[in-house]
Amino acid sequence: DYDTFPLHKFESAPLPNEGKLTVHEYSKSGGVPSMVSGTSEEWYRLAKAHVDNAKAHGSESHWSDMKALNDLFQSSDGTFYQMNDSVVPAFILLRSGQDVDQESCEITRDKRAAHFSHYAVHIGRTRKGAAGPEDRAEIASTWVAEWRAICNWTEVIVPAARN
């Protein structure tokens, strides 16, 4: 997603879960497509399923990639894709308008990216001068720059897949 910012370098690491389609941001209803990985065959399978899913929900007034992804996950009893909890929603990081601190570093230690979604910035607390979702590019850029200056992880612990 365009509002997902990498926290660590992705140096030619192998695809997680042996290349099976993997959603990296967990949610109660399935997952958030802020970062998704898989082989080309898995992406083709997802694209075909998305088109079929959109056709099945053609009468819906609003149907998105996230709704389709969650519908596919739920209708398959959680087998359509793998889950890795490796993207942190930014509302967890934007606590009380605080600066980046050691708690932020610990929260992100095993995360590959931070997702500064409209929702996350809306419910997170930001500092003066950055009012809300319309300022999320500035909020995210500032937060990531501060994070890089304070949190100096040299090793990333990648979380295991959730089935």
Side-chain angles (χ1 to χ4, degrees), residues 1-2 11 15-17 26 28 30 32 45 51 58 66 73 83 104 107-109 114-115 118-119 132 141 146 156 159:
D1 224 351
Y2 73 95
E11 310 237 356
L15 288 171
N17 303 313
Y26 177 77
K28 292 184 289 188
V32 178
R45 183 174 70 88
V51 169
M66 184 164 162
F73 188 77
M83 293 280 296
S104 305
I107 290 169
T108 57
R109 179 177 173 82
H115 184 202
H118 183 276
Y119 173 77
S141 297
E146 289 177 10
V156 180

Side-chain angles (χ1 to χ4, degrees), residues 83-99:
M83 293 280 296
N84 275 19
D85 190 17
S86 54
V87 174
V88 60
F91 67 83
I92 293 171
L93 305 171
L94 300 172
R95 314 175 307 285
S96 306
Q98 294 179 16
D99 292 333

Side-chain angles (χ1 to χ4, degrees), residues 3 39 52 91 102 114 119 122 128 141 145 150:
D3 51 7
T39 63
D52 293 343
F91 67 83
Q102 285 306 310
Y119 173 77
H122 177 72
K128 290 180 185 177
S141 297
I150 293 169

Side-chain angles (χ1 to χ4, degrees), residues 94 96-100 125-131 139 142-143 146:
L94 300 172
S96 306
Q98 294 179 16
D99 292 333
V100 175
R125 303 223 192 296
T126 57
R127 286 178 265 152
K128 290 180 185 177
I139 292 166
T142 300
W143 191 92
E146 289 177 10

